[in-house]
Amino acid sequence: MAIRSALLALVAGFCWVSAVGAQEDGAAKYQDADGEEIFGPDYQPQSAPEKGLPLYIGRPNAGISVPDGLLLLPQDSFRAMSDTWSLPREDLQRQLPNDVPLLRDVRKGIQTWQMPRLTPNRRAPIQSTDATAEMKVHYVYVGQGAGAIIELPCGVAAVDLGGEFGGGSGSVDGGALFVSYLKEFMAQHPVYGNKLDVVYLSHAHADHINGSTELRESGIRVEKVVDNGQTTADGSVGKQTEFRNWATEGDLKRRYSAVELARQVTATGATNAAIDPFSCATVTAFWGGANERLSIPTYSNPNNHSVVLRFDFGQASFLFMGDLEADAAKDMIDQFDENIEVFDADVLQLAHHGAENGISDELLNVISPRIAILSMGDKASTGSKSAWKHGHPRLDSLSILQDDPVTVGDMRSTTQTFWGSPGAKKPPKEFAVSRAIYGTGWEGTITVTATQSGQYKVSANEGH
């Protein structure tokens, strides 16, 4: 352990710089050259001591179809434990199907093992007979950051809690903006009982969890929490740990799920009763905490430990990338090379607010989105965490989204002129958007409405 710690410290020393001063929320101990909080010699995440519910095999509406019987099997049961298995050998039913996509070095250890009868961890999604049933995703304007509300006929969730923070000129309190929008939403939808069925935290960066304090004080209840499992008492990871413990009231075994790379075995993603508490939709999680990769410089940034989420509502599909950067996204695609179609989705929330390192032709080719959403700040904001400081969204990213042959599939009804940045702290330039690319910093909160037949309608609130 001492050798591992020394190695991590040595590697981290090449990619971190000490914060010149404490960030506005007092979180960052180490920052990279772009001012993002990163891990450093004495700021290292640990795996959650209590991982909550076991991860089960995901069955998203894309990629290889998984047999029903296999959905009852926890992913941990696929791992060989010396000469024994992690489940009893009684009541054997059938052999493991040959067509189940498994990550590397797993199948050869399973051979002809058979699986016992198990109790389902979650209900299968119920297809609504109501042709008018809709799913809505509210991508809330939170300045520079991200926060979304998932509105379903059978429940409601939040993906990240936004947003920009700090007291610089023109900056906004994104966390307060998100919770304010959420409170208004709950007041308008009393059917949800002022309760979030689940809060998903993609990763521990302030612009994604900055509303956790406001949410705790809002009176809105949280039933379950899903995050990347990273745990410590310091920095933004400390905030994530604190929120997890508060929301679950110590009942982590039933109300929490850690999504960690090391726990995932099948190349169909992961699910359980926390990741997917809904009867009318299917939610699948991918990637997440990769603490075993912390010795790789790329993984000193919490961005690359993002939980990636997929929502399926009938034929409609939404993908949330957190802030997963291109290098880690390539690693993820490599891990899922037996089943990369699992990431094929219609509505994509781009990683990292439209930064160049959050997008690639390879990733877009795999996802083939019809609609792209950028959660980013207003160009008028010049505060410490503004889009202006980071140069989001980049003009190069916008060009990739529109350039042939890899493009966003749908078109806007009319071409509109917005803006993008050539680089950090550089004046933005106008950019004509003809395809279905929407930005919260351009148009305010964006709502995408989907039917179960896969029809979409996009609306924007320009007042922000």
Side-chain angles (χ1 to χ4, degrees):
M1 182 61 70
I3 294 175
R4 178 178 180 274
S5 298
L7 177 61
L8 291 175
L10 178 62
V11 173
F14 290 103
C15 58
W16 60 268
V17 294
S18 297
V20 175
Q23 283 188 346
E24 289 83 350
D25 65 349
K29 183 175 290 187
Y30 301 105
Q31 298 177 356
D32 63 14
D34 295 323
E36 280 200 316
E37 179 182 11
I38 59 175
F39 302 126
D42 58 348
Y43 176 44
Q44 294 286 326
Q46 303 297 318
S47 179
E50 172 53 67
K51 302 181 188 302
L53 293 165
L55 298 181
Y56 281 68
I57 296 169
R59 186 169 64 172
N61 192 23
I64 295 175
S65 178
V66 177
D68 289 348
L70 212 59
L71 300 179
L72 309 182
L73 200 64
Q75 294 205 26
D76 286 345
S77 64
F78 285 102
R79 299 186 181 281
M81 301 178 66
S82 63
D83 295 328
T84 64
W85 294 95
S86 57
L87 291 176
R89 295 296 300 269
E90 299 90 344
D91 193 22
L92 300 179
Q93 296 298 305
R94 49 195 175 279
Q95 291 185 350
L96 182 72
N98 289 326
D99 60 348
V100 176
L102 298 169
L103 299 184
R104 293 179 176 84
D105 302 324
V106 176
R107 183 178 292 282
K108 66 183 181 182
I110 294 176
Q111 299 176 354
T112 60
W113 173 68
Q114 295 176 309
M115 61 183 179
R117 184 182 291 114
L118 299 170
T119 301
N121 180 256
R122 62 173 294 275
R123 294 171 293 173
I126 300 172
Q127 292 296 327
S128 174
T129 58
D130 182 0
T132 64
E134 293 180 336
M135 170 185 180
K136 293 184 179 181
V137 179
H138 306 251
Y139 300 90
V140 182
Y141 172 75
V142 291
Q144 179 71 7
I149 298 169
I150 314 299
E151 178 186 351
L152 292 161
C154 58
V156 63
V159 179
D160 288 330
L161 304 174
E164 186 176 336
F165 59 93
S169 173
S171 64
V172 299
D173 186 339
L177 283 175
F178 181 80
V179 174
S180 176
Y181 187 98
L182 178 61
K183 290 171 70 174
E184 183 176 348
F185 172 88
M186 287 296 184
Q188 294 173 354
H189 298 80
V191 67
Y192 294 124
N194 206 39
K195 177 189 70 176
L196 287 165
D197 292 283
V198 57
V199 170
Y200 306 93
L201 299 177
S202 65
H203 66 295
H205 261 162
D207 61 338
H208 288 251
I209 67 171
N210 202 41
S212 60
T213 301
E214 285 86 352
L215 182 55
R216 290 170 62 178
E217 299 170 351
S218 69
I220 298 171
R221 290 177 293 138
V222 175
E223 285 295 301
K224 294 181 173 67
V225 174
V226 174
D227 63 29
N228 64 9
Q230 291 186 328
T231 303
T232 187
D234 301 323
S236 292
V237 176
K239 281 191 170 184
Q240 173 174 282
T241 305
E242 188 177 64
F243 179 80
R244 171 200 309 159
N245 292 335
W246 167 82
T248 60
E249 298 177 339
D251 190 8
L252 292 170
K253 290 186 177 180
R254 292 191 311 114
R255 299 177 60 188
Y256 170 64
S257 181
V259 180
E260 297 174 311
L261 178 59
R263 300 180 67 201
Q264 298 172 51
V265 175
T266 62
T268 58
T271 193
N272 57 34
I275 294 170
D276 187 359
F278 303 111
S279 62
C280 62
T282 300
V283 188
T284 311
F286 309 92
W287 208 246
N291 293 343
E292 67 274 22
R293 298 182 177 221
L294 284 172
S295 60
I296 303 172
T298 300
Y299 287 87
S300 68
N301 194 316
N303 287 343
N304 291 324
H305 301 266
S306 291
V307 177
V308 175
L309 292 168
R310 178 190 177 99
F311 287 78
D312 288 299
F313 182 67
Q315 296 303 308
S317 53
F318 293 76
L319 193 66
F320 294 80
M321 297 293 296
D323 272 351
L324 197 71
E325 297 179 3
D327 288 345
K330 184 180 186 306
D331 290 344
M332 181 176 71
I333 292 172
D334 288 345
Q335 284 282 342
F336 284 78
D337 62 356
E338 291 187 65
N339 192 29
I340 59 172
E341 294 85 1
V342 78
F343 299 111
D344 184 2
D346 289 343
V347 184
L348 169 66
Q349 184 187 48
L350 269 83
H352 211 191
H353 322 292
E356 290 170 306
N357 63 9
I359 190 172
S360 68
D361 284 341
E362 180 183 12
L363 185 62
L364 281 176
N365 190 44
V366 167
I367 299 172
S368 64
R370 291 175 53 185
I371 298 168
I373 307 294
L374 295 161
S375 293
M376 70 341 178
D378 192 321
K379 70 176 180 179
S381 298
T382 56
S384 62
K385 283 293 176 184
S386 67
W388 175 83
K389 177 179 178 180
H390 291 287
H392 296 163
R394 291 294 172 89
L395 288 168
D396 286 347
S397 297
L398 297 175
S399 295
I400 290 173
L401 290 171
Q402 290 202 152
D403 288 349
D404 290 328
V406 179
T407 63
V408 171
D410 286 7
M411 305 292 290
R412 282 179 174 259
S413 57
T414 59
T415 297
Q416 293 184 260
T417 300
F418 296 111
W419 53 269
S421 175
K425 298 183 180 180
K426 293 184 178 179
K429 296 183 177 180
E430 290 187 347
F431 187 88
V433 180
S434 58
R435 295 196 174 267
I437 305 166
Y438 300 86
T440 57
W442 297 336
E443 300 162 279
T445 294
I446 296 161
T447 303
V448 180
T449 303
T451 66
Q452 290 190 325
S453 62
Q455 301 298 311
Y456 300 94
K457 180 177 67 176
V458 183
S459 59
N461 170 24
E462 296 185 5
H464 68 264

